[in-house]
Amino acid sequence: MAISDLKLPQGVSAHAFKSPVLLAESLALNVAKHLSDAIEAQGTATLVVSGGRSRVAFSEHLATQPVDWSNVVVSLADERWVPVEHADSNAGLLKKYLLQGPAAKAQFLSLYSASANLEQAADHADRLLSELPVIDVLVLGMGDDGHTASLFPGSPNLAEALKADGTRRCYPMLAPTVPRQRLTMSRALLASAKHKILSISGQSKLTTLDTALAGDDVAALPIRAFLQPTLEIYWCP
């Protein structure tokens, strides 16, 4: 299957690249342009990215872009409930690969807190995110199971987190893989982003996306919540 074989909804576009490096470079250029345009228009820009090691190359390329980083707010679509020093921390990855050099001037809003339990950590993040400006650029990923951010099929709080008109910004979630305890921005908050991008690689994820496009059960494949007009899909083998 090629990405051109997908039956995309009207208003959703797809871009195919020959390698992960080319995808990362192009995605970084696109995101940087959106951030710079936002700064020019309103003085500030807000970027939200999904976690995971698949974002490393993109983060490294984005950090080199000529963006006025002192006027950028950066946050995470989801986080593992582990300290920043932990190898699984998304914030740790972001600080290592994106918030370096000039990009270190960006303001970072972390979802993690050393709370007594996951629920209290989610409450803390929810309050913190009330200070998050309108999201200018959102970069999502997707798992083979159709999850995006940390909106996992079968997680106890999934129905609430997927409410299109929900007012809560952050939910405690359980992943099927270690570390299981996660924090995620809600569907409503993520969907409020002005520019939404889905970045994926590999044939298996293309197959998952094809399945997602063929149905409408959002709880079964949460990525379906974001397959809406203006979404840009970036893919490479």
Side-chain angles (χ1 to χ4, degrees):
M1 174 184 289
I3 197 164
S4 57
D5 296 328
L6 296 178
K7 294 180 174 60
L8 298 175
Q10 190 170 1
V12 176
S13 59
H15 313 276
F17 300 88
K18 292 181 179 179
S19 72
V21 171
L22 292 173
L23 185 154
E25 290 175 348
S26 181
L27 181 58
L29 287 170
N30 187 9
V31 169
K33 183 181 187 309
H34 283 313
L35 293 177
S36 294
D37 287 349
I39 292 169
E40 185 175 348
Q42 64 206 24
T44 60
T46 302
L47 169 67
V48 171
V49 296
S50 287
R53 293 200 166 271
S54 59
R55 297 286 160 270
V56 168
F58 158 69
S59 296
E60 289 178 321
H61 286 293
L62 183 58
T64 67
Q65 298 303 310
V67 174
D68 183 0
W69 289 103
S70 61
N71 286 312
V72 177
V73 177
V74 178
S75 193
L76 284 157
D78 62 319
E79 179 60 287
R80 290 88 179 268
W81 192 51
V82 294
V84 176
E85 301 76 26
H86 195 284
D88 291 323
S89 169
N90 288 334
L93 282 175
L94 211 61
K95 289 181 177 182
K96 184 176 181 180
Y97 295 106
L98 175 61
L99 303 176
Q100 295 290 327
K105 295 178 181 178
Q107 178 190 348
F108 177 58
L109 277 182
S110 176
L111 302 187
Y112 173 79
S113 64
S115 303
N117 54 51
L118 181 65
E119 287 68 28
Q120 288 187 20
D123 288 342
H124 181 272
D126 189 65
R127 291 192 297 272
L128 183 72
L129 288 173
S130 67
E131 303 171 13
L132 186 75
V134 173
I135 302 169
D136 292 294
V137 188
L138 168 67
V139 181
L140 290 171
M142 182 190 72
D144 288 340
D145 62 354
H147 85 266
T148 190
S150 279
L151 298 165
F152 288 95
S155 188
N157 294 316
L158 184 65
E160 286 291 316
L162 283 176
K163 283 187 175 178
D165 58 352
T167 55
R168 181 168 174 137
R169 301 170 185 87
C170 184
Y171 282 89
M173 301 295 285
L174 295 178
T177 54
V178 176
R180 295 193 69 227
Q181 293 185 309
R182 310 286 177 103
L183 300 162
T184 190
M185 286 187 179
S186 64
R187 170 188 181 175
L189 179 56
L190 293 168
S192 70
K194 295 177 184 176
H195 301 284
K196 292 178 277 290
I197 300 166
L198 172 64
S199 176
I200 55 175
S201 61
Q203 195 64 40
S204 62
K205 293 190 178 181
L206 208 54
T207 301
T208 299
L209 196 56
D210 186 47
T211 303
L213 288 163
D216 56 10
D217 183 350
V218 176
L221 294 171
I223 189 62
R224 285 176 171 146
F226 303 96
L227 301 177
Q228 306 289 338
T230 73
L231 177 73
E232 286 186 86
I233 301 171
Y234 277 62
W235 177 81
C236 68

